[in-house]
Amino acid sequence: RVVRHRPSRSVEGAVVTLVPTTVPTVPTVVPTVMRRGADSGATVPLDGRNTHGERECERTYAYGTDASFYRLLPQMVVKIHSEEEVKKILPYAKKHQTPVTFRAAGTSLSGQAVSDSVLLKLSHVGKNFRDYTVHEDGRKITLEPGLILGEVNRILQAHKKKGGHAVQYKMGPDPSSIDSCMVGGVVANNSSGMCCGVKQNTYHTLEDMRIVFVDGTVLDTADPASRENFLKTHQDLCAKVSNLATKVQADAELTALI
């Protein structure tokens, strides 16, 4: 899953815009796979330990929890390095009716980043899913999901200083895990925070997204051609979503509550 995000507020409270992420320019790599209670390849000696001296079951056990008090042991952990890998994995999981869960930094307080099936983990190697482009004076930024939220604020700060811009923009969401959580998790969970409230939470400061669907289709909401093609190839899905929206909007009480 590749996402686009946009910064949402300045120190003066101005609302900003974040833009979609471009396709990762990372060479195709074979995903790192760890199976529970099993060795994961030729790098694992006969005693079941990997090159770091860890047993594979210990490594999957480590991914069995996040910042919440829940524990689910994944049957398999797949470290993904590129959008192309995601496009191949999701249709395969669909074919075998196997649930998958995405995990970015694993700072969830409610168990969203754990699974007893297949866990797709953004690779923590410091270079995958980390591209970004700051637009104009910093009021918009295009991000990939592997960037840490606090890191993005520092990028915007440096952009303002380098360009001599008048306004210091920051990302809208300000969760307590700001220096640990990744953009992918922030967007997936509609993160907010103590300062941003609802007005400047993730959804209200998000302009476009690049989404990989379970059938491997990629939708780039910033690209008119991509949107048009998706409407043609996924007519049934789009119709059902539109019907849900119409139903909700026809209920004044429910709309007000939302």
Side-chain angles (χ1 to χ4, degrees):
R1 174 186 58 189
V2 182
V3 299
R4 312 177 177 209
H5 198 55
R6 78 181 183 212
S8 80
R9 60 186 164 75
S10 69
V11 289
E12 300 177 3
V15 177
V16 205
T17 324
L18 286 161
V19 191
T21 324
T22 53
V23 181
T25 55
V26 183
T28 302
V29 185
V30 177
T32 304
V33 178
M34 298 178 289
R35 293 181 178 84
R36 192 171 83 194
D39 302 337
S40 65
T43 59
V44 183
L46 293 177
D47 65 355
R49 295 183 180 274
N50 59 28
T51 53
H52 301 289
E54 303 166 313
R55 291 187 181 277
E56 294 304 299
C57 58
E58 294 171 354
R59 298 178 72 192
T60 52
Y61 186 80
Y63 284 115
T65 190
D66 50 16
S68 70
F69 54 78
Y70 299 106
R71 180 175 292 282
L72 291 173
L73 297 184
Q75 295 295 321
M76 182 181 292
V77 178
V78 182
K79 292 187 176 180
I80 51 178
H81 305 79
S82 69
E83 179 184 278
E84 287 302 313
E85 289 182 358
V86 178
K87 288 165 61 177
K88 293 176 181 178
I89 292 170
L90 291 185
Y92 192 75
K94 179 184 179 183
K95 175 182 177 181
H96 294 279
Q97 293 294 292
T98 302
V100 298
T101 298
F102 284 90
R103 180 184 179 111
T107 57
S108 165
L109 298 176
S110 304
Q112 298 100 312
V114 295
S115 171
D116 58 1
S117 183
V118 175
L119 192 66
L120 300 184
K121 173 72 177 69
L122 284 186
S123 183
H124 255 116
V125 294
K127 57 185 178 181
N128 300 121
F129 295 107
R130 290 181 51 79
D131 287 346
Y132 65 87
T133 302
V134 182
H135 304 273
E136 304 170 35
D137 59 350
R139 68 185 61 218
K140 293 185 180 184
I141 185 169
T142 300
L143 301 167
E144 289 190 345
L147 287 158
I148 294 172
L149 189 58
E151 178 184 19
V152 177
N153 280 337
R154 291 188 285 275
I155 289 172
L156 291 169
Q157 184 178 30
H159 180 79
K160 186 255 184 186
K161 183 177 180 181
K162 182 179 180 180
H165 303 297
V167 179
Q168 172 64 66
Y169 291 105
K170 294 182 179 181
M171 298 294 283
D174 59 328
S176 58
S177 58
I178 190 169
D179 286 318
S180 301
C181 63
M182 290 181 172
V183 171
V186 169
V187 173
N189 292 293
N190 187 23
S191 296
S192 55
M194 292 294 291
C195 297
C196 75
V198 175
K199 185 177 181 181
Q200 294 175 340
N201 67 10
T202 304
Y203 288 0
H204 285 117
T205 56
L206 186 66
E207 182 165 294
D208 292 288
M209 293 182 71
R210 184 178 177 87
I211 309 163
V212 180
F213 284 80
V214 71
D215 61 358
T217 300
V218 176
L219 169 63
D220 185 344
T221 66
D223 182 354
S226 179
R227 296 198 306 266
E228 183 178 355
N229 184 63
F230 188 81
L231 286 171
K232 293 178 180 178
T233 59
H234 293 71
Q235 290 183 8
D236 185 57
L237 174 62
C238 294
K240 289 179 179 178
V241 172
S242 295
N243 289 337
L244 283 174
T246 301
K247 184 177 180 180
V248 170
Q249 292 162 5
D251 187 328
E253 184 178 356
L254 181 56
T255 300
L257 177 62
I258 294 173

